[in-house]
Amino acid sequence: MPLFGRSQKSPQELVKQLRDAVSALSKGDKGDKKVEKASEDVSKCLASIKALMNQSAEQDSQSEFLAQLGHEMYSANLLLILIQNLAKIDFEGRKDVVHIFNNLLRQQIGTRTPTVEHICQHQEILIELMKGYENKEIALRCGMMLRECCRYEALSKIMLYAENFFDFFNYVEVSTFDIASDAFSTFKDLLTKHKMLSAEFLENNYDKVFDAYLTLLNSENYVTRRQALKLLGELLLDRHNFTVMTKYISNPDNLKLMMNMLREKSRNIQFEAFHVFKVFVANPNKPRPIMEILLRNKEKLVDFLTKFHTDRSEDEQFNDEKAYLIKQIKELKPPEDS
Amino acid sequence: MSFLNCGSTSSKVSELTHSSRRKGYKLQEKKRSRPHSRHVHDSKSISTVSTMIEFENDYQKYELLTVIGRGYNDAATVYLARHIPTGQQIAIRQTYLESSKIDLSVLQNEIVLCRQLHHESLLPLYTSFVHNNDIWTVMPLMAYGSCRDLIHAYFMSGLPEQAIAYILRDVLLALDYLHNRGIIHRAVKASHILIEASGQVCLAGMRNAYQMSRNGVKQKMAFDYPHTSKLLQWLSPEILEQNLAGYNTKSDIYSVGITACELANGYAPFSDMPATQMLLEKLNGIKPVLADSSTIAALSAEQNITDSGVPSDSGIDTVEANNSEKTGALGYAYNRTFLNTFHQFVDISLEKNPESRPNTASALNHPFFKHLRRKTTEALPALLHPVTPLSDVHVSKMPKEDPTVDDLGRDFEDLDMAVDWDF
């Protein structure tokens, strides 16, 4: 290749060089001359690895290059080291780390995904990545790598069952909007990408998850509240989460919360609340406390729903559902044995 | 044509890192004394500000001074504001999330994407946070406003040719950065090109940007289409066609060509016709041109043909009125002649076949951009004379915004939802 004609370094050399530079970078303090040099070296190494990666992709020899590179990276445990030092690497260098990490992750040899296997054996990588949301500088970069990891069920499982999964309930609410948004999309991926996995997780950790979820629904942050409510609706309406849904709609506190959210000031929140509320009403086997609340508010609910978002005339599904709910509530009768 | 020679080096150039490319790309510094005394601005450059100041996620740290713009279907209001702890003037965009005309996820994508890009010719975003039902986005103040604003304010018949060269050069540099990262901007137009008091040119409007790599797979062609009809005039024929061939980063070059005409003529091409006719003309390969002494004859002739096509019952008077109005509007064109290289640049950018258009690297080597100073800030403010950037002096003359008025209106809308449940 004319572009990189000078000297073609082997993956071994590059990885060794990168490892040495990162270790020099991690030792020094900011402002130190040596650290500046190390930082430059790290970025240079990353850039040449990335360039070789792209070059091999163009020459259809990517799998070979990735296999060699991966092998070297795993044995030096460089993925972990890179992520631990991500904040010390410069802006473009961080981007290159993401690029290299995600490409390695997607690497397949036959049916094997060696990087996924490597991370399964070194779960600290995922823990470090999740903690990345606590550092403004690297949060979005870690997010990009985490979402790539979310595509693999084995990695999703480790993250869901990790102790610091529950830190996501704080991350999605941080004041910096882009970080909160990014954390929310990772959070959502974890709870929706692998249906069976997340259904099982939600069932086994129902109390802990939904207690924490309540803080999101009551958040002072409008976007958190709105997104959490929307995701709740999606989770409950997914048939994989039938058990979780049944449990959720049996709790009268949840019904009260949704009825209160129906009359929130924000129209968007009212609308999302409607999609959770409808599940309570549509339940053919309403537990007694739920039935009682609905009966007590029968007239008000019918009146309220009749006037609810009447301007959405073109949304057919919504209007059908609304009509169905009104009919259901009108026909509610106290249980025989009361 | 020298352009073709440049084309062969283009692929090399795009592979190099940004900084080394800027060094490699030859811009001849031409020392010329400017007749206008340039305004001296004490405002620091954007990049120094962003590294020096920590912008808090707390609305109380900002004082909103006056409205300087609106956007995103009127859900967004842009304020000239002051960062109270430092006194730094900034711009704050407030986007009302309850508006039914916006898509929250689109806004999120825009903000997350902007935070991951660093280029001096891309509008940076210092921070963003939620306050009540709005997202506040803190950005540098672009005191000259957008190029559209400049046209409205003073340059009704188009910006000076030299100013356009600087502006388009910087836009191409921003696009080059985006294209190398697999991002198609899709919304290059005068209103998205902003200019800072120092003369720094920034491309904005990243909301419509499209990333070519999805789920880790790099696509060769894009098949996603912008969800707004406001961009149609600037979009390339292949985007408008929405066919199986798709489109790629070259469609941004077409938009640059349209924008070049917009900046030079004072109005965007195709403004005077219905969307269907515009589509037809673009698909037939009809290229808009810069209106000057060399093209005006053809332009007027075309105008006459269109006018004679008006049904006779519409009345002769109106036709005549139309005619004189148009000649009047284009009258200035007789008195100016743009450089040949400018005409050539527009012509090649507007090629119907995307393959025939230059990529950003070879466009930057086009002769039209030779002989520019390396730093736009050294030349642009003088070229925009007599327009001056927005400053404190203007602000004190403007009425202060009372944000409570808006909030009241919003509260009224919600009153009818008040019910008390029996629990």
Side-chain angles (χ1 to χ4, degrees):
Chain A
M1 286 294 285
L3 261 183
F4 305 98
R6 315 171 260 129
S7 62
Q8 184 83 270
K9 281 205 170 106
S10 71
Q12 286 96 315
E13 284 172 299
L14 280 170
V15 168
K16 186 180 176 303
Q17 215 180 341
L18 181 59
R19 193 189 58 199
D20 295 345
V22 176
S23 111
L25 183 66
S26 66
K27 278 177 196 139
D29 295 312
K30 234 188 177 176
D32 190 350
K33 275 257 164 74
K34 271 186 195 162
V35 173
E36 270 172 36
K37 168 84 172 67
S39 169
E40 244 173 61
D41 288 348
V42 170
S43 304
K44 254 189 234 161
C45 281
L46 288 168
S48 21
I49 294 178
K50 180 182 159 184
L52 281 177
M53 211 174 238
N54 290 342
Q55 191 190 327
S56 66
E58 274 163 30
Q59 295 170 342
D60 291 322
S61 58
Q62 194 178 25
S63 51
E64 196 186 324
F65 174 76
L66 281 177
Q68 282 178 22
L69 179 72
H71 180 75
E72 297 298 326
M73 296 280 273
Y74 311 145
S75 50
N77 205 7
L78 202 53
L79 287 181
L80 178 64
I81 296 171
L82 280 174
I83 290 158
Q84 280 169 335
N85 291 290
L86 195 58
K88 291 183 177 162
I89 298 173
D90 68 18
F91 188 82
E92 289 297 322
R94 285 176 204 156
K95 267 190 195 170
D96 291 342
V97 171
V98 176
H99 185 89
I100 294 165
F101 183 94
N102 287 354
N103 268 295
L104 276 176
L105 199 58
R106 283 191 291 271
Q107 181 203 176
Q108 280 198 348
I109 299 177
T111 54
R112 286 182 52 222
T113 40
T115 308
V116 175
E117 288 168 21
H118 172 72
I119 297 176
C120 284
Q121 282 153 15
H122 296 83
Q123 305 192 357
E124 323 84 87
I125 295 176
L126 291 173
I127 309 295
E128 280 293 325
L129 278 177
M130 284 155 89
K131 280 194 185 138
Y133 277 119
E134 287 164 25
N135 183 341
K136 252 188 179 181
E137 299 281 304
I138 58 168
L140 299 183
R141 302 283 163 214
C142 290
M144 288 174 87
M145 291 187 266
L146 281 170
R147 276 191 300 285
E148 196 65 39
C149 292
C150 284
R151 300 173 57 204
Y152 302 92
E153 188 161 349
L155 301 185
S156 281
K157 189 170 182 178
I158 295 170
M159 289 189 264
L160 277 176
Y161 286 92
E163 195 46 48
N164 58 348
F165 168 75
F166 283 88
D167 290 338
F168 268 106
F169 289 94
N170 301 324
Y171 300 155
V172 300
E173 225 189 336
V174 296
S175 63
T176 306
F177 176 71
D178 43 305
I179 298 179
S181 295
D182 191 275
F184 196 89
S185 39
T186 309
F187 178 69
K188 185 179 171 181
D189 274 5
L190 283 173
L191 291 178
T192 53
K193 269 252 155 95
H194 307 283
K195 306 282 185 200
M196 302 293 274
L197 174 72
S198 49
E200 195 189 320
F201 169 75
L202 290 173
E203 276 172 56
N204 294 340
N205 297 276
Y206 182 89
D207 290 333
K208 200 173 173 194
V209 171
F210 283 94
D211 280 354
Y213 211 96
L214 191 60
T215 61
L216 299 186
L217 295 174
N218 287 324
S219 168
E220 292 215 331
N221 184 317
Y222 165 84
V223 174
T224 311
R225 220 161 55 236
R226 180 168 154 188
Q227 284 191 310
L229 190 56
K230 184 161 194 255
L231 177 59
L232 177 66
E234 285 172 33
L235 286 175
L236 296 183
L237 288 170
D238 190 321
R239 62 190 166 81
H240 293 90
N241 295 326
F242 183 78
T243 321
V244 170
M245 185 265 283
T246 317
K247 204 163 174 182
Y248 192 87
I249 61 170
S250 309
N251 184 338
D253 287 337
N254 293 337
L255 175 59
K256 287 178 194 169
L257 179 67
M258 284 314 134
M259 283 169 72
N260 282 332
M261 289 187 109
L262 273 179
R263 30 160 245 188
E264 270 231 20
K265 267 188 182 177
S266 153
R267 276 174 57 86
N268 284 296
I269 289 184
Q270 294 166 6
F271 189 62
E272 297 302 343
F274 174 85
H275 289 295
V276 181
F277 172 74
K278 70 185 182 193
V279 191
F280 287 91
V281 180
N283 179 9
N285 308 307
K286 297 177 196 61
R288 194 158 178 156
I290 300 287
M291 187 59 127
E292 281 168 358
I293 293 175
L294 291 176
L295 279 171
R296 224 175 301 149
N297 293 283
K298 192 170 164 177
E299 305 302 320
K300 280 182 187 169
L301 276 170
V302 170
D303 193 39
F304 179 88
L305 286 174
T306 314
K307 291 184 207 151
F308 187 77
H309 289 213
T310 42
D311 50 342
R312 286 186 198 268
S313 49
E314 72 296 359
D315 186 342
E316 250 179 66
Q317 198 189 345
F318 166 72
N319 285 308
D320 288 352
E321 288 179 352
K322 198 172 88 167
Y324 175 77
L325 288 197
I326 293 173
K327 183 168 167 282
Q328 286 285 307
I329 294 171
K330 272 185 182 162
E331 288 170 0
L332 281 182
K333 284 200 182 78
E336 292 292 317
D337 57 2
S338 61
Chain B
M1 216 165 72
S2 64
F3 176 75
L4 289 172
N5 298 331
C6 302
S8 59
T9 59
S10 64
S11 60
K12 261 188 204 173
V13 173
S14 63
E15 287 291 324
L16 298 173
T17 62
H18 180 68
S19 55
S20 62
R21 196 200 50 247
R22 295 246 13 220
K23 276 175 220 147
Y25 126 68
K26 279 172 241 150
L27 287 174
Q28 287 172 12
E29 297 268 334
K30 204 173 180 183
K31 298 253 150 66
R32 244 192 298 171
S33 59
R34 301 256 155 216
H36 308 293
S37 65
R38 270 202 277 126
H39 300 272
V40 183
H41 299 288
D42 57 349
S43 58
K44 294 151 195 127
S45 85
I46 298 172
S47 50
T48 22
V49 167
S50 62
T51 49
M52 280 166 53
I53 302 178
E54 169 90 3
F55 289 98
E56 298 89 345
N57 295 326
D58 176 3
Y59 76 100
Q60 290 176 320
K61 298 280 195 252
Y62 304 95
E63 183 188 0
L64 303 180
L65 298 171
T66 188
V67 175
I68 51 175
R70 288 190 197 280
Y72 204 174
N73 303 324
D74 279 341
T77 311
V78 184
Y79 291 88
L80 168 64
R82 202 169 63 89
H83 180 234
I84 297 169
T86 59
Q88 179 73 36
Q89 283 202 350
I90 42 162
I92 289 185
R93 186 183 72 186
Q94 266 185 27
T95 311
Y96 184 50
L97 298 174
E98 274 292 294
S99 166
S100 55
K101 292 179 203 138
I102 66 158
D103 185 339
L104 178 59
S105 60
V106 169
L107 199 62
Q108 283 175 314
N109 286 341
E110 178 197 2
I111 291 174
V112 170
L113 180 63
C114 281
R115 293 288 292 162
Q116 299 179 58
L117 303 170
H118 264 199
H119 187 274
E120 56 178 3
S121 299
L122 278 177
L123 184 69
L125 193 158
Y126 295 147
T127 191
S128 61
F129 55 90
V130 178
H131 173 57
N132 290 335
N133 295 356
D134 295 285
I135 288 180
W136 289 40
T137 311
V138 183
M139 302 173 290
L141 176 65
M142 295 284 130
Y144 275 107
S146 74
C147 288
R148 185 79 232 148
D149 295 335
L150 284 172
I151 291 170
H152 277 302
Y154 185 76
F155 300 102
M156 261 81 83
S157 49
L159 297 174
E161 187 174 28
Q162 276 279 299
I164 298 174
Y166 279 104
I167 292 167
L168 292 182
R169 194 257 319 254
D170 289 4
V171 166
L172 283 168
L173 284 171
L175 287 176
D176 187 62
Y177 174 87
L178 294 175
H179 291 178
N180 282 335
R181 282 156 185 75
I183 300 168
I184 311 178
H185 186 281
R186 305 199 299 187
V188 177
K189 56 194 282 225
S191 65
H192 286 155
I193 304 169
L194 310 179
I195 302 174
E196 205 209 1
S198 66
Q200 175 73 52
V201 175
C202 282
L203 183 60
M206 290 299 291
R207 190 171 61 241
N208 301 291
Y210 179 74
Q211 283 174 281
M212 293 282 272
S213 58
R214 289 279 146 132
N215 298 324
V217 184
K218 257 199 192 146
Q219 301 164 282
K220 287 231 163 64
M221 286 297 177
F223 299 93
D224 173 276
Y225 297 96
H227 296 278
T228 169
S229 55
K230 288 181 183 164
L231 299 170
L232 295 178
Q233 271 167 269
W234 288 267
L235 290 177
S236 64
E238 66 270 20
I239 291 192
L240 295 174
E241 264 183 306
Q242 306 203 5
N243 64 16
L244 287 172
Y247 64 96
N248 61 16
T249 50
K250 289 283 185 70
S251 69
D252 277 344
I253 302 293
Y254 185 90
S255 304
V256 170
I258 296 285
T259 306
C261 295
E262 183 184 14
L263 295 176
N265 298 344
Y267 62 92
F270 309 112
S271 301
D272 56 344
M273 59 180 73
T276 42
Q277 192 186 345
M278 173 206 63
L279 177 66
L280 211 64
E281 294 213 349
K282 283 189 183 176
L283 295 185
N284 285 333
I286 297 177
K287 294 180 189 174
V289 292
L290 306 169
D292 73 354
S293 59
S294 67
T295 56
I296 189 66
L299 276 176
S300 308
E302 205 176 280
Q303 216 68 66
N304 288 335
I305 292 163
T306 327
D307 284 341
S308 63
V310 174
S312 54
D313 60 352
S314 69
I316 288 167
D317 288 351
T318 45
V319 173
E320 273 177 358
N322 265 345
N323 252 341
S324 60
E325 210 173 75
K326 268 171 184 146
T327 340
L330 287 170
Y332 54 80
Y334 286 104
N335 303 322
R336 69 178 178 201
T337 310
F338 290 116
L339 289 173
N340 252 337
T341 53
F342 192 16
H343 282 290
Q344 285 161 5
F345 173 74
V346 169
D347 187 66
I348 194 143
S349 304
L350 293 175
E351 282 288 342
K352 180 174 180 281
N353 178 7
E355 296 299 316
S356 312
R357 290 174 215 149
N359 62 17
T360 47
S362 46
L364 280 165
N365 276 319
H366 192 274
F368 181 51
F369 302 113
K370 295 279 184 238
H371 314 299
L372 297 182
R373 285 162 181 248
R374 185 175 297 251
K375 284 197 169 168
T376 303
T377 49
E378 287 171 5
L380 194 54
L383 292 169
L384 296 178
H385 186 82
V387 176
T388 53
L390 187 70
S391 72
D392 302 55
V393 188
H394 300 91
V395 176
S396 55
K397 286 184 200 149
M398 282 190 257
K400 275 219 167 178
E401 282 292 307
D402 187 358
T404 52
V405 177
D406 256 10
D407 285 349
L408 271 180
R410 290 173 188 175
D411 284 349
F412 278 123
E413 291 169 18
D414 307 319
L415 278 181
D416 61 323
M417 295 316 282
V419 250
D420 274 321
W421 306 121
D422 282 326
F423 289 138

